[in-house]
Amino acid sequence: MGSPTKAELLAELSALKARTETLERRQQELAALLRAQEAVTSSLDLEQSLRAIVQHASTIAGGSDTWLYVLDEPCQVLRCRVSVSMSREEMDGLVIPMGEGIAGRVAVSRTPLAIPDIRGHPNVWRADLAAKHRHVAYLGLPVTLGDQLLGVLAFGNPEPRTYTEAETEILTVFARQAASAIANARLFEAAVRRGSELEALVFAARSV
């Protein structure tokens, strides 16, 4: 066998570079997931946990704008709770009825929805905010825990793009972390409420 040609060497170097980049990307994804998980397990502050999850998810999504809706079950609407770029006033204005808008459809179907270019899409909710924050490509992921819907995690990219299956899978893990954070916070709130009720009963019994 002769020595490899220049073209073969270049092809081998290119393949090695691609494998190295893939490994580095996987390391970044794992590191971001671990940091987000630490935020969930180390804090009882739901806002802090969700903000950490959203920020790390945004980094893995290539710097995409990222925001999280939480389901207000009694009212059957999605309320924007955390965002990378939107102001509190803008988030407060993002209240989407179930089944309406793109996020509302993701919530009802409970399946990921990727749209390469939402400009002119008939189901964009608050097109003015989408234009202001340059939301062009869109990915919506349901935030679920078992059979329970808790919200929607959404990503907006300033350029048309198609989210790959691998990207959707890794970002879905962040949606699961958000579900855990919301569920843990609700369990804690319920425990505190039960504790207050028991304390009130004990005080009433002693008074009697």
Side-chain angles (χ1 to χ4, degrees):
M1 295 180 62
S3 300
T5 64
K6 183 177 180 181
E8 289 171 338
L9 287 172
L10 287 173
E12 189 175 339
L13 285 172
S14 179
L16 180 61
K17 181 181 178 183
R19 287 196 296 272
T20 301
E21 290 174 349
T22 299
L23 280 173
E24 289 175 348
R25 188 165 59 253
R26 291 290 178 268
Q27 288 176 338
Q28 291 171 353
E29 291 170 352
L30 286 172
L33 285 170
L34 285 171
R35 287 193 292 270
Q37 188 59 37
E38 286 172 2
V40 173
T41 56
S42 65
S43 174
L44 292 174
D45 185 332
L46 180 59
E47 197 80 15
Q48 181 180 330
S49 296
L50 293 181
R51 186 165 296 282
I53 291 168
V54 165
Q55 288 174 341
H56 291 309
S58 175
T59 300
I60 294 304
S64 295
D65 195 3
T66 308
W67 59 105
L68 176 70
Y69 298 99
V70 174
L71 174 63
D72 180 341
E73 197 164 359
C75 298
Q76 283 296 288
V77 296
L78 295 167
R79 299 185 187 276
C80 188
R81 183 73 179 262
V82 179
S83 168
V84 168
S85 69
M86 285 184 274
S87 67
R88 184 71 262 173
E89 182 181 2
E90 289 171 332
M91 286 190 285
D92 289 342
L94 275 177
V95 181
I96 305 178
M98 289 286 285
E100 298 187 25
I102 302 175
R105 290 170 179 264
V106 172
V108 170
S109 68
R110 301 193 184 191
T111 56
L113 176 60
I115 302 174
D117 192 336
I118 63 171
R119 290 173 295 187
H121 195 284
N123 298 120
V124 174
W125 193 270
R126 292 294 304 272
D128 57 327
L129 287 181
K132 176 182 177 181
H133 293 281
R134 300 175 63 205
H135 298 160
V136 177
Y138 178 94
L139 173 65
L141 302 172
V143 176
T144 58
L145 190 67
D147 295 330
Q148 185 181 13
L149 176 75
L150 298 175
V152 173
L153 181 61
F155 300 84
N157 195 278
E159 299 292 337
R161 63 167 291 186
T162 300
Y163 286 90
T164 66
E165 185 177 344
E167 287 174 322
T168 301
E169 286 178 357
I170 191 67
L171 294 174
T172 296
V173 180
F174 287 97
R176 293 194 195 108
Q177 290 181 325
S180 295
I182 295 169
N184 289 343
R186 289 180 178 176
L187 285 172
F188 178 72
E189 288 171 1
V192 170
R193 188 166 57 251
R194 284 196 299 271
S196 298
E197 290 169 353
L198 286 171
E199 187 177 351
L201 285 171
V202 169
F203 178 79
R206 285 177 177 171
S207 298
V208 171

